[in-house]
Amino acid sequence: MGDFYDLNKEYESNVFNDKVMKKRLPKEVYASLTKSIKNMSLIDPSIAGAVACAMKEWALEKGATHYTHWFQPMTGSTAEKHESFVNFKGDRELILEFSGKELVKGEPDASSFPTGGVRETYEARGYTAWDPTSPAFVKGHVLYIPTAFCSYSGEALDKKTPLLRSMQAVDKQGRRILKLFGSKAEEGIITNCGAEQEYFLIDESVYNERPDLIYSGRTLFGSGPPKGQDLDDHYFGVIKPRVAAFMQDLDETLWSLGIASKTRHNEVAPAQHEIASIYETANRATDHNQLIMETLKTVAPKHGLVCLTNEKPFAGVNGSGKHCNWSIGTTKGDNLLDPGKTPAQNARFLLFLSAVIKAVDLHQDLLRVSVATAQNDHRLGKAEAPPAIISIFLGEELTDILTSIMTGVDPVSKARVQMDIGVDVLPHFPKDTTDRNRTSPFAFTGNKFEFRMVGSSLSIAGPLFILNTIVADVLGEFADKLEKAKDLNAEIAKIVKDTITKHWRIVFNGNNYAEEWVAEAKKRGLLNLKTTTDALPYFTKPENIALLERHGVLTKTEVESRTELLLEAYVKILHIEALSMLEIAHRGVVPAVIDFSANVAKTIASKKKVSAKFSTKLEQDLLEELSTLGEKLGKDIAALEKAIASAKEGDTLKLAQYYGKKVIGAMNALRDTVDKLEGLVDESYWPLPSYGEILYSVK
Ligand code: ADP
Ligand code: MG
């Protein structure tokens, strides 16, 4: 059978999953561990030794020689330090060892990870703590143990800790509401996420000739090819054999790691594609999305390709996003954003739906903060990406229903329903009636919300912990009222009606890309935080710190240090981009313009030498244009150099604002000149492969 791939057998083959645990762990240990995992509660320390031993035996059989505490520092990617299982007993007798203590806690020398100042005031070292809710796996020769990364005084130093804390917050507040609907005490709440990851694939050869792609992941020069995405012929088009081979390789690697890769297709821009895996708990989805991004990058070179996960690798064509499909469900498996089959389920649905509407309206700023990066600034508000204004799309049917709740008038939609909550049955919202709007940043798509502002390279932990926290807060408020209510149904109806009426301004079903929406949103009082530096200061607003502290998700110190880090990252990214532009301009573009101009001048002279009658108008005009633009090029380079040199260290927000205005301004001017020159200079002189060559590099 040679190439036969046994998906049944290969799926999760490298994961210490439930089946493996059940088989290898003593019965009581298995029961205790799975109970903790399900309830997201602390592990009984006495079982750690047995779990570590089983994990080690299993990993050794898989060919592992090392283990690592795998964590997600504030850099946005993952970190790992390998320890081999090698140890000695007695007189240098080899034993392969992995203890419960080593499983539960690690102490990486983490002093070089960014902390935003947390450790200056606290401990110099951090520790990693095993997160049993995300399964361990073997990759290469290493056993990976998902962990959270904290300082000794307990400050979160990573992306995962606030996410885990926020999941607990939703659970705590949501449980109170479930209980009122008659759920058993042990039934809890989980948040789910399915992320759709977009990316570009280009040939290695063109990548290697683009220092901008190498240094910053996106092109800093270049103008659109004659054929971009105008014909829309790439979207869902036939997948080229080379790309298909890459995708197959990718999927097989992901499946072995327990990532349920489901959908793959070509996206709108040439060379752009998407992968989506089946949704799972927010925690696992976060780990798995990190692994997807990593695997995209490691599998591509095996096919002579390079994968770009940057938000806007090419100006003028679509950028890449990462739509986060998000929902809340019960540990029993019910989806709370699904209308359901009974009146009680409908009431519950409307209550949770109103909670999301209120949370998004009240906390537009935090949601915007959660997707704010230098790279995403280039994407938001451009081709096929939502604008920087947060709004919710609900679709016609649901809008009708909510409108009738607010007005007391029967809905106009065909689905005739009366609105005494708790009595009547709501229709289901099939995906095709809720999914027509692709322009909304936050769209209800049948039984989940799709947060479309998330950038392609971002860890989804940030957007998810914000979503969880803001919704937990509103659920808590609702629970306060409902627990005191004499007539539960009447109180639910009142809460739903009052909430949607008060927060209706956040609902917008129209075209979010339209100019008029910007004006309309302003009239409604919605925030329009266009850039990262506009958004980030909102993170540290006292009410936002209070909200995050109230739910034990982040402390004031943690919020402040995170803001500092995000601002620093913004400056660093722009600084690297500016330096890359200058290097390319000095070493590539300037010499090309000089050489080509010299050649044109030589042609004029030699033509005239042959005969004074020959016209040299074409050459003269070209030379004139080259000289004019060449002069501007020199000035633009000098201006960018000056802009960088004049940056003042000190206040990070001020520095970031300076970069966002002055440095970006100078970068844009330089790019404009260089792109014009690219249109004039003979391609054999030009130092960079063109957009056309890159976007159509994979044959
Ligand atoms: P689209 O039509 O938006 O491109 P895809 O099929 O590409 O849809 O992706 C949809 C994503 O939403 C998948 O990851 C899917 O597993 C996820 N999803 C489906 N139902 C839920 C849910 N209830 N909660 C969270 N995510 C979900
Ligand atoms: Mg999709």
Side-chain angles (χ1 to χ4, degrees):
M1 291 292 280
D3 269 353
F4 178 74
Y5 178 82
D6 188 347
L7 182 49
N8 234 328
K9 183 167 147 251
E10 299 297 333
Y11 186 74
E12 283 199 337
S13 55
N14 291 325
V15 183
F16 192 70
N17 63 8
D18 190 68
K19 221 154 87 193
V20 179
M21 290 196 287
K22 195 167 190 174
K23 197 170 124 203
R24 291 177 179 256
L25 291 173
K27 236 191 180 129
E28 327 73 65
V29 174
Y30 172 76
S32 163
L33 179 61
T34 45
K35 191 164 163 228
S36 298
I37 292 174
K38 201 164 163 216
N39 299 336
M40 286 189 66
S41 55
L42 286 179
I43 295 284
D44 172 2
S46 70
I47 67 166
V51 179
C53 182
M55 247 188 213
K56 180 192 73 181
E57 293 304 321
W58 170 80
L60 288 172
E61 285 167 32
K62 292 262 148 218
T65 53
H66 292 71
Y67 71 89
T68 185
H69 272 202
W70 186 61
F71 60 105
Q72 298 174 24
M74 294 304 294
T75 56
S77 46
T78 60
E80 52 191 77
K81 174 184 154 214
H82 302 174
E83 298 284 345
S84 79
F85 292 118
V86 167
N87 218 334
F88 290 128
K89 191 173 84 181
D91 189 17
R92 293 182 75 80
E93 181 197 340
L94 178 73
I95 49 161
L96 300 181
E97 202 176 45
F98 182 51
S99 67
K101 211 172 121 230
E102 285 165 317
L103 166 64
V104 172
K105 193 166 169 180
E107 298 185 28
D109 180 5
S111 46
S112 296
F113 288 105
T115 66
V118 164
R119 266 196 312 250
E120 274 143 42
T121 34
Y122 296 89
E123 270 286 342
R125 280 165 68 97
Y127 71 91
T128 49
W130 176 36
D131 165 18
T133 60
S134 183
F137 55 92
V138 167
K139 189 161 65 81
H141 292 284
V142 182
L143 167 66
Y144 284 77
I145 298 150
T147 62
F149 178 40
C150 295
S151 76
Y152 267 101
S153 39
E155 270 78 22
L157 297 174
D158 68 349
K159 300 260 175 187
K160 277 288 289 286
T161 306
L163 176 64
L164 293 169
R165 292 173 181 167
S166 76
M167 289 172 76
Q168 267 169 0
V170 183
D171 181 46
K172 186 170 161 198
Q173 303 305 333
R175 245 174 226 263
R176 294 171 62 196
I177 290 185
L178 284 190
K179 217 170 118 198
L180 295 166
F181 281 95
S183 296
K184 295 209 176 72
E186 62 269 21
E187 190 173 357
I189 297 251
I190 38 172
T191 44
N192 290 311
C193 175
E196 301 164 56
Q197 174 78 47
E198 294 178 336
Y199 61 93
F200 280 82
L201 267 188
I202 62 172
D203 194 89
E204 225 167 31
S205 61
V206 281
Y207 175 83
N208 290 333
E209 286 177 55
R210 292 285 314 210
D212 44 1
L213 284 178
I214 295 172
Y215 295 137
S216 59
R218 72 180 188 100
T219 56
L220 301 167
F221 296 116
S223 42
K227 178 178 184 294
Q229 59 193 47
D230 322 77
L231 298 179
D232 279 338
D233 52 353
H234 193 253
Y235 189 56
F236 285 8
V238 178
I239 298 171
K240 289 172 184 156
R242 203 170 151 206
V243 175
F246 158 82
M247 287 176 164
Q248 185 64 26
D249 204 352
L250 172 72
D251 279 346
E252 289 178 12
T253 311
L254 296 177
W255 288 326
S256 80
L257 294 169
I259 299 163
S261 175
K262 177 79 176 166
T263 309
R264 59 192 193 192
H265 61 81
N266 288 350
E267 259 300 333
V268 172
Q272 194 185 26
H273 313 278
E274 178 184 301
I275 174 173
S277 56
I278 297 177
Y279 72 96
E280 51 193 334
T281 63
N283 178 32
R284 287 184 183 214
T286 298
D287 287 4
H288 283 166
N289 184 254
Q290 290 291 347
L291 283 171
I292 288 174
M293 287 195 284
E294 181 191 311
T295 313
L296 280 166
K297 302 243 175 214
T298 51
V299 171
K302 294 183 190 162
H303 298 263
L305 300 166
V306 173
C307 176
L308 307 173
T309 51
N310 189 285
E311 278 71 4
K312 196 76 179 176
F314 306 100
V317 296
N318 280 8
S320 296
K322 175 149 48 197
H323 298 176
C324 277
N325 295 272
W326 172 91
S327 66
I328 338 180
T330 68
T331 44
K332 223 172 68 192
D334 286 354
N335 180 351
L336 295 162
L337 292 177
D338 204 341
K341 292 191 187 66
T342 65
Q345 283 170 343
N346 286 321
R348 205 174 62 176
F349 162 71
L350 287 171
L351 196 62
F352 279 88
L353 179 76
S354 331
V356 177
I357 292 174
K358 177 169 181 177
V360 172
D361 184 34
L362 279 184
H363 306 291
Q364 298 159 44
D365 55 350
L366 282 176
L367 284 169
R368 177 66 184 91
V369 164
S370 78
V371 297
T373 62
Q375 298 97 327
N376 214 15
D377 281 358
H378 296 292
R379 173 181 159 260
L380 293 178
K382 306 280 164 59
E384 289 240 343
I389 307 163
I390 309 260
S391 66
I392 299 181
F393 170 85
L394 291 178
E396 205 182 315
E397 270 178 303
L398 192 50
T399 301
D400 268 1
I401 289 162
L402 298 188
T403 307
S404 93
I405 293 178
M406 289 187 286
T407 57
V409 178
D410 266 4
V412 291
S413 79
K414 278 155 259 122
R416 304 249 333 152
V417 276
Q418 285 164 13
M419 278 308 126
D420 292 340
I421 294 160
V423 180
D424 296 298
V425 175
L426 291 173
H428 268 265
F429 307 103
K431 194 175 151 107
D432 53 339
T433 69
T434 52
D435 199 32
R436 281 188 208 124
N437 183 315
R438 309 292 292 178
T439 65
S440 177
F442 201 82
F444 181 71
T445 49
N447 58 6
K448 59 185 161 72
F449 279 95
E450 188 171 338
F451 189 21
R452 300 201 180 114
M453 286 173 105
V454 185
S456 51
S457 70
L458 215 63
S459 161
I460 59 175
L464 289 176
F465 94 70
I466 293 292
L467 254 174
N468 289 347
T469 310
I470 62 177
V471 171
D473 197 57
V474 179
L475 290 176
E477 245 175 66
F478 286 1
D480 288 344
K481 287 190 187 145
L482 291 170
E483 282 163 357
K484 281 190 249 141
K486 290 205 183 72
D487 178 343
L488 187 66
N489 277 344
E491 186 63 27
I492 292 174
K494 185 173 178 331
I495 290 180
V496 169
K497 184 174 174 179
D498 290 354
T499 306
I500 53 180
T501 308
K502 190 152 176 224
H503 298 282
W504 195 245
R505 63 167 187 171
I506 197 75
V507 175
F508 180 66
N509 292 323
N511 177 9
N512 293 69
Y513 297 173
E515 280 294 321
E516 302 86 77
W517 168 232
V518 179
E520 163 72 20
K522 195 168 172 200
K523 238 176 27 207
R524 293 189 188 189
L526 300 180
L527 284 173
N528 184 2
L529 304 172
K530 291 196 185 115
T531 64
T532 297
T533 50
D534 294 335
L536 287 181
Y538 282 79
F539 204 5
T540 47
K541 282 190 134 190
E543 62 268 33
N544 286 336
I545 291 177
L547 166 79
L548 290 158
E549 289 201 321
R550 188 154 66 238
H551 294 283
V553 174
L554 288 176
T555 63
K556 182 166 188 274
T557 315
E558 287 168 340
V559 176
E560 282 167 354
S561 66
R562 263 152 222 258
T563 308
E564 184 74 11
L565 277 180
L566 290 164
L567 289 166
E568 271 172 21
Y570 177 82
V571 170
K572 280 181 193 158
I573 286 164
L574 289 178
H575 192 72
I576 292 169
E577 288 186 352
L579 292 183
S580 308
M581 284 184 102
L582 288 170
E583 182 182 300
I584 295 168
H586 276 301
R587 301 182 58 192
V589 177
V590 169
V593 173
I594 292 174
D595 287 354
F596 181 57
S597 304
N599 196 7
V600 177
K602 236 181 2 207
T603 311
I604 297 170
S606 54
K607 248 178 150 178
K608 288 283 174 209
K609 217 159 133 195
V610 177
S611 164
K613 276 192 298 188
F614 284 167
S615 166
T616 54
K617 175 134 179 45
L618 179 69
E619 294 85 346
Q620 300 230 4
D621 286 352
L622 177 59
L623 194 56
E624 192 178 333
E625 241 185 300
L626 286 169
S627 307
T628 313
L629 279 172
E631 189 184 333
K632 181 148 188 312
L633 175 65
K635 283 187 185 148
D636 289 338
I637 291 174
L640 180 55
E641 280 168 342
K642 185 160 168 242
I644 297 174
S646 317
K648 285 189 191 59
E649 300 285 328
D651 184 310
T652 320
L653 176 61
K654 284 213 180 91
L655 184 64
Q657 284 164 336
Y658 174 85
Y659 265 81
K661 215 168 153 188
K662 289 284 169 358
V663 178
I664 287 189
M667 284 166 68
N668 288 343
L670 176 58
R671 176 173 190 152
D672 187 56
T673 307
V674 171
D675 289 357
K676 283 190 182 128
L677 281 162
E678 186 185 0
L680 297 178
V681 174
D682 176 347
E683 65 178 347
S684 65
Y685 286 78
W686 198 252
L688 304 167
S690 69
Y691 264 31
E693 285 165 316
I694 305 171
L695 288 168
Y696 296 99
S697 61
V698 181
K699 300 287 184 294

